[in-house]
C-alpha cells in the first residue's frame, strides 16, 4: 500500500495534502509518513524471520534520521538502534529504547562517550581498532564496580568486498578507514579476550550504503562466517553476528533488492555456515536508509524563475544546507509538483538561495511542468540523510520537520528561530 500519491492532482502523504502542511507550517519542511515507516520496518523485520527461526534484531541506524518522533515510532515497533555518538544514544534513551538493544558503532569513540555507553548498559560496542579496545578496557576498569557486567564488545572487521556504490559511502574495502582487516582479526579477538574488563560477544561488519545488489552482502557474510567459525574454534563465545546496514532504495532508476530478496540472500549466505557452533548466533542488521529514505519528502516553495543564456533555473527556498546529498554525492532526488497542472515538461536546474554553485537539488531535470513563482515542489526520498545532514550554512534556520499519520499531522521539530541561530555564541570583552 502506497501512502504517497496524487489524489485528483494533489499530492498526499497518507490522508493529508502536502499543500495544507505547507500552508500551516511554512516551507521548507521535511514531512514523514508514520504508516510508511511502520510498513518499511515491519517488511524488513519479517523478511529476516521468514524461512527459519533465526534470532535476529533490527537495529535502526539513527544517523539516517534521528528525529525523536521517528525514533519513537520505530522503537515502538520493536526496533533496536545502531548509534555512533553519545548524542545518538541519548536520543535513543529519550524515546525509551531498551539499552540492551543499542549497539554503538564508529571509528572514533571518545572516552566520555564510551563511559556514557557503559553506564547505560548497552548491548555491544562495535569496535574498530586495537586502540579502541584498549580505551574501552581502560574506561571499564575505571568505572569498575559501577558496572554490572563486563564491557560487551563485537569486533568490526573489514571484509574487503566491493559494495559497488558511491565511493564516499563504500566502507568495506582495504583502503577505507573502517574495521579491522580480516587477516588480523584472530589476533585482535585474542587480545580482547585477554582484557579483564571486556567480554567478546560478537563479530560485526558494514560494507557500505545504498547497495543495489545482494552479492556484496553475500560475499561479506561468506568471509564473516568463515572467520566466525575459526573464532569459535579458538574458544570465543560469539553471540552476535552483525552484518551492518546498507540496503539501497530506488531514488531514480535503481532497482535494489526488496527486503524479502535481501533476507533470502542473507539466509542463503548464512546457511553455508550453519553448524552447531554458529546456530545460536543472533543476527543483527543495522538498516537506515531503507527504513526512512522513502518515508520522507522535503517540501519547498518556488521563489523565482530565472534564465541564463543556456539554462533555466528554478530557485526554491530549500538549499544545500537543508538537503546536501545532491551537492555532496551528486545524488538524484525526484522532484514532483505538489499540485499537478499538466502542461509540457520543463527542463531546468532546481537550485537554492545559497552562494555556491554546488547549491542545487537537481540539475538538467525535466520537471512535470514549468513551475510558477510561489508554487510548491516536493523533493522525494528525503527521509534518510536529509535533515540529519543539514546545517546552518548561510545562517539559515534549520527547517521544520512534520509527521503525518492518517489524516493528522504534527510538527515534530519546529523551525529554528533567529535566536536559535545564535544560541551559545558570545562576544568576549576583548572584542569590544
Ligand atoms: N551501520 C553502520 C556502521 C553505518 O556506518 C551505516 C551508515 C549504517 C549502518 C546504515 O546504513 P544504511 O542502511 O543507511 O545504508 N550520508 C550518506 C550515507 C552514509 C552512510 C553512513 N553509514 C548518504 O546520504 O547517502
Amino acid at each position: 500500500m502506497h501512502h504517497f500519491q496524487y489524489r485528483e492532482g494533489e499530492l498526499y502523504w497518507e490522508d493529508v495534502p502536502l499543500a495544507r502542511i505547507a500552508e500551516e507550517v511554512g516551507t521548507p519542511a521535511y514531512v514523514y509518513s508514520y504508516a510508511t515507516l511502520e510498513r518499511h520496518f515491519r517488511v524488513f523485520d519479517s523478511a529476516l524471520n521468514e524461512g527459519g527461526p533465526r534470532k535476529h534484531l533490527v537495529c535502526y541506524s539513527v544517523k539516517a534520521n534521528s528525529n525523536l518522533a521517528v525514533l519513537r515510532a520505530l522503537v515502538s515497533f520493536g526496533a533496536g538502534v545502531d548509534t555512533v555518538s553519545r548524542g545518538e544514544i541519548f536520543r535513543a534513551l529519550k524515546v525509551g529504547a531498551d539499552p540492551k538493544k543499542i549497539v554503538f558503532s564508529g571509528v572514533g569513540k571518545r572516552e566520555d562517550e564510551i563511559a556514557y555507553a557503559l553506564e547505560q548498559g548497552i548491548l555491544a560496542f562495535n569496535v574498530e581498532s586495537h586502540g579502541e579496545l584498549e580505551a574501552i578496557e581502560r574506561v571499564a576498569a575505571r568505572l569498575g564496580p559501577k558496572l554490572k557486567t563486563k564491557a560487551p564488545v563485537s569486533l568490526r572487521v573489514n571484509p574487503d568486498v566491493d559494495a559497488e556504490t558511491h565511493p564516499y559511502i563504500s566502507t568495506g574495502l582495504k583502503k577505507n578507514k573502517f574495521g579491522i582487516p580480516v587477516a588480523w582479526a584472530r589476533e585482535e579477538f585474542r587480545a580482547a579476550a585477554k582484557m579483564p574488563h571486556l567480554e567478546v560477544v560478537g563479530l560485526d561488519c558494514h560494507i557500505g550504503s545504498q547497495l543495489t545488489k545482494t552479492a556484496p552482502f553475500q560475499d561479506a557474510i561468506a568471509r564473516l562466517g568463515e572467520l566466525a567459525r575459526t573464532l569459535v574454534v579458538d574458544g570465543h563465545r560469539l553471540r552476535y553476528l552483525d552484518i551492518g546496514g546498507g540496503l539501497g532504495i530506488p531514488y531514480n532508476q535503481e532497482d535494489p533488492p526488496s527486503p524479502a530478496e535481501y533476507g533470502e540472500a542473507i539466509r542463503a549466505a548464512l546457511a553455508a555456515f550453519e553448524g552447531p557452533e554458529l546456530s545460536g548466533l543472533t543476527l543483527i542488521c543495522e538498516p537506515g536508509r531503507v527504513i526512512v529514505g522513502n518515508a520522507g519528502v522535503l517540501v519547498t516553495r518556488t521563489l523565482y524563475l530565472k534564465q541564463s543564456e543556456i539554462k533555466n533555473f528554478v530557485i526554491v527556498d530549500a538549499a544545500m544546507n537543508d538537503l546536501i546529498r545532491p551537492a555532496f554525492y551528486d545524488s538524484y532526488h525526484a522532484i514532483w509538483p505538489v499540485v499537478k497542472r499538466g502542461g509540457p515538461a520543463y527542463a531546468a536546474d532546481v537550485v537554492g538561495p545559497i552562494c555556491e554553485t554546488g547549491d542545487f537539488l537537481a540539475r538538467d531535470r525535466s520537471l512535470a511542468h514549468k513551475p510558477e513563482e510561489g508554487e510548491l515542489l516536493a523533493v522525494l526520498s528525503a527521509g534518510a540523510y536529509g535533515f540529519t545532514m543539514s546545517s546552518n550554512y548561510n545562517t539559515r534556520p534549520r527547517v521544520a520537520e512534520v509527521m503525518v499519520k492518517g489524516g493528522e499531522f504534527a510538527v515534530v521539530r519546529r523551525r529554528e528561530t533567529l535566536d536559535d541561530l545564535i544560541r551559545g555564541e558570545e562576544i568576549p570583552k576583548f572584542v569590544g
Side-chain angles (χ1 to χ4, degrees):
M1 157 79 184
H2 257 282
H3 303 288
F4 191 65
Q5 56 189 344
Y6 284 103
R7 293 188 195 168
E8 290 168 17
E10 272 221 62
L11 200 49
Y12 276 68
W13 243 148
E14 304 192 32
D15 296 324
V16 184
L18 284 179
R20 202 170 102 211
I21 295 175
E23 282 319 312
E24 288 186 29
V25 175
T27 55
Y30 278 98
V31 188
Y32 311 126
S33 152
Y34 178 95
T36 308
L37 285 174
E38 175 162 24
R39 179 165 58 88
H40 288 177
F41 178 79
R42 298 215 191 277
V43 164
F44 190 93
D45 193 42
S46 60
L48 297 175
N49 260 333
E50 269 157 37
R54 174 168 287 286
K55 286 182 287 177
H56 76 272
L57 177 63
V58 176
C59 288
Y60 164 68
S61 194
V62 176
K63 63 175 84 64
N65 186 323
S66 58
N67 182 277
L68 292 184
V70 170
L71 286 182
R72 175 64 208 153
L74 293 170
V75 163
S76 77
F77 308 146
V81 291
D82 163 47
T83 61
V84 289
S85 67
R86 181 178 177 172
E88 286 191 352
I89 298 173
F90 169 74
R91 281 181 179 276
L93 295 171
K94 267 269 175 246
V95 302
D98 177 354
K100 279 282 154 261
K101 289 186 177 178
I102 298 180
V103 295
F104 187 10
S105 308
V107 289
K109 303 176 187 78
R110 285 198 320 258
E111 290 203 4
D112 62 311
E113 295 184 294
I114 293 171
Y116 180 72
L118 282 172
E119 281 162 0
Q120 308 307 325
I122 64 164
L123 181 72
F125 290 84
N126 288 334
V127 176
E128 302 228 16
S129 63
H130 187 78
E132 185 187 331
L133 274 181
E134 287 182 334
I136 299 174
E137 169 63 19
R138 218 165 33 239
V139 176
R142 192 168 70 224
L143 293 176
K146 268 173 98 179
L147 304 177
K148 290 187 203 81
T149 59
K150 291 185 176 191
V153 295
S154 292
L155 267 67
R156 174 170 174 180
V157 296
N158 183 333
D160 193 31
V161 298
D162 189 355
E164 294 175 51
T165 182
H166 189 288
Y168 285 13
I169 52 177
S170 189
T171 51
L173 287 169
K174 276 185 184 162
K175 63 179 177 191
N176 300 135
K177 69 178 174 183
F178 299 99
I180 296 164
V182 171
W184 303 350
R186 282 177 83 183
E187 202 179 314
E188 288 302 341
F189 270 89
R190 215 173 295 133
K194 280 200 198 124
M195 296 189 189
H197 298 88
L198 301 189
E199 186 189 358
V200 174
V201 296
L203 179 59
D204 165 54
C205 82
H206 169 77
I207 55 174
S209 196
Q210 183 54 17
L211 271 70
T212 52
K213 297 190 182 120
T214 49
F217 289 115
Q218 293 188 304
D219 292 349
I221 290 174
R223 290 192 193 160
L224 245 61
E226 211 172 279
L227 177 61
R229 229 189 224 159
T230 315
L231 292 168
V232 169
V233 173
D234 284 351
H236 301 287
R237 279 202 296 277
L238 299 181
R239 284 189 268 148
Y240 305 108
L241 186 67
D242 183 336
I243 59 169
L247 182 57
I249 61 169
Y251 283 96
N252 186 17
Q253 306 291 346
E254 305 90 336
D255 186 21
S258 67
E261 287 163 336
Y262 168 83
E264 185 59 50
I266 301 293
R267 252 191 320 280
L270 287 170
F273 297 96
E274 293 300 356
E277 327 84 295
L278 297 182
S279 59
L281 281 182
T282 297
L283 178 71
I284 296 180
C285 293
E286 302 171 353
R289 190 188 316 263
V290 70
I291 306 291
V292 291
N294 278 326
V297 300
L298 173 63
V299 181
T300 182
R301 199 177 281 283
T302 306
L303 297 175
Y304 304 103
L305 296 185
K306 180 173 173 174
Q307 272 93 36
S308 77
E309 279 163 306
I310 57 164
K311 274 199 171 202
N312 299 320
F313 295 100
V314 175
I315 303 176
V316 297
D317 64 359
M320 65 189 285
N321 72 299
D322 305 311
L323 178 65
I324 204 173
R325 301 192 71 258
F328 206 23
Y329 313 108
D330 203 20
S331 51
Y332 181 101
H333 287 263
I335 299 183
W336 290 5
V338 166
V339 179
K340 269 194 199 162
R341 282 199 288 108
Y346 184 68
D349 283 14
V350 180
V351 301
I354 282 184
C355 311
E356 302 248 4
T357 301
D359 179 26
F360 58 86
L361 298 175
R363 275 192 299 193
D364 300 319
R365 185 64 60 83
S366 173
L367 298 172
H369 61 249
K370 180 177 180 180
E372 285 174 359
E373 287 184 6
E375 199 169 323
L376 295 169
L377 297 174
V379 183
L380 274 56
S381 313
Y385 308 107
F387 187 89
T388 51
M389 292 181 81
S390 68
S391 77
N392 292 120
Y393 187 39
N394 277 209
T395 304
R396 288 165 53 86
R398 274 181 298 167
V399 307
E401 291 176 286
V402 175
M403 186 181 278
V404 172
K405 183 181 181 193
E408 286 182 276
F409 72 88
V411 173
V412 292
R413 190 181 201 274
R414 63 166 172 75
R415 189 178 307 284
E416 286 181 345
T417 62
L418 293 178
D419 281 332
D420 289 332
L421 288 169
I422 55 169
R423 191 158 28 124
E425 292 183 40
E426 293 207 33
I427 304 173
K429 281 213 172 58
F430 59 73
V431 168

